[in-house]
Amino acid sequence: MVSRLSTGIPVLDRKLDGGIPPGSTVALCAPPASQAELLLTEFTASRPTLYLTTDRDEETVSAGFRRESSRRTPEVRYIPGDAPLDHARRLFQRLRSDSTLIIDPMNLLEREDPTRYRNFLHDLQSHLRGTDSLAILHCLDGRWIPDQRDITEHAVDVVFQLNTEISGDRVENRLAVPKFRGGRALPETIKLELTESVAIDTSRDIA
């Protein structure tokens, strides 16, 4: 089996036959009012990480990581609204081997010209394959989904879909992996506990 890169969540790694293949792009699609950022945090645990933020300032993002002294603090860079594809491309080209890139969220980039956006994704994927690295693209599934979301989900290798629902007096989070190019998509959802960290319900209630 080809070596895999860890998601930082051991139970999820086992379900994915060891993790995610090097050189992959992953779209993490989730509602804005969810704890999806906890999943992004787990992805920074295993490797050096470049964290590109498009809506929060660098200090706010970095402070969240510094609060947990046991965690690796990623390099955080802000992507401004002026020519965001150019800014993001210059930064990801600095990505070293066996690293993780996070773009949080992707929506700003997905509102750019479709042709330029496709070229950006092609360049990103080429760089990831050349460095055996991994990219996590946080895609907000909110009230206004960018027109280029279909391009993102078609281009990436893996899609993680986080669904958050309020059922009675409980908040239920379920993670689906409907697409896994070069691997095995999961036939069932995974029930998550997203509070201060990520926990997976390993009982039989994962349908």
Side-chain angles (χ1 to χ4, degrees):
M1 183 182 69
V2 177
S3 62
R4 299 289 182 98
L5 300 179
S6 173
T7 64
I9 308 170
V11 175
L12 181 57
D13 286 345
R14 288 198 294 272
K15 290 179 178 292
L16 298 177
D17 296 327
I20 298 171
S24 297
T25 46
V26 180
L28 171 58
C29 303
S34 71
Q35 289 279 69
E37 289 174 8
L38 293 177
L39 292 169
L40 297 179
T41 299
E42 296 298 337
F43 272 103
T44 70
S46 302
R47 290 169 300 281
T49 299
L50 174 61
Y51 196 118
L52 305 185
T53 171
T54 64
D55 63 357
R56 296 186 295 156
D57 63 81
E58 296 174 4
E59 175 56 28
T60 299
V61 175
S62 297
F65 286 95
R66 290 198 300 267
R67 280 195 291 269
E68 299 188 45
S69 58
S70 61
R71 285 196 176 278
R72 183 195 302 263
T73 300
E75 178 185 359
V76 181
R77 290 291 179 266
Y78 175 70
I79 302 297
D82 178 30
L85 294 177
D86 294 335
H87 284 286
R89 180 182 282 106
R90 283 196 294 270
L91 287 167
F92 80 61
Q93 287 174 344
R94 297 164 41 191
L95 200 66
R96 296 173 294 175
S97 297
D98 192 24
S99 299
T100 297
L101 172 73
I102 292 176
I103 304 180
D104 175 31
M106 280 293 289
N107 297 47
L108 175 67
L109 307 185
E110 290 175 317
R111 296 189 182 107
E112 295 295 294
D113 174 77
T115 299
R116 296 191 68 242
Y117 182 61
R118 285 191 184 91
N119 290 337
F120 170 84
L121 291 177
H122 294 163
D123 291 346
L124 172 60
Q125 290 170 318
S126 177
H127 189 78
L128 294 171
R129 288 191 294 269
T131 58
D132 285 335
S133 294
L134 177 68
I136 312 299
L137 313 180
H138 184 199
C139 302
L140 298 180
D141 280 343
R143 296 175 182 85
W144 183 23
I145 298 176
D147 292 339
Q148 271 56 269
R149 179 59 50 81
D150 285 351
I151 295 176
T152 303
E153 293 186 349
H154 183 259
V156 298
D157 302 297
V158 183
V159 174
F160 285 175
Q161 182 72 54
L162 179 66
N163 295 306
T164 300
E165 296 183 357
I166 300 175
S167 179
D169 60 352
R170 291 185 58 80
V171 177
E172 294 188 353
N173 297 284
R174 291 182 180 270
L175 182 69
V177 186
K179 177 181 180 180
F180 199 125
R181 185 180 290 136
R184 182 175 67 90
L186 299 185
E188 56 193 12
T189 61
I190 301 170
K191 189 174 182 181
L192 301 179
E193 294 290 340
L194 300 177
T195 51
E196 295 180 349
S197 60
V198 179
I200 293 182
D201 184 346
T202 55
S203 71
R204 297 182 62 85
D205 182 24
I206 57 175

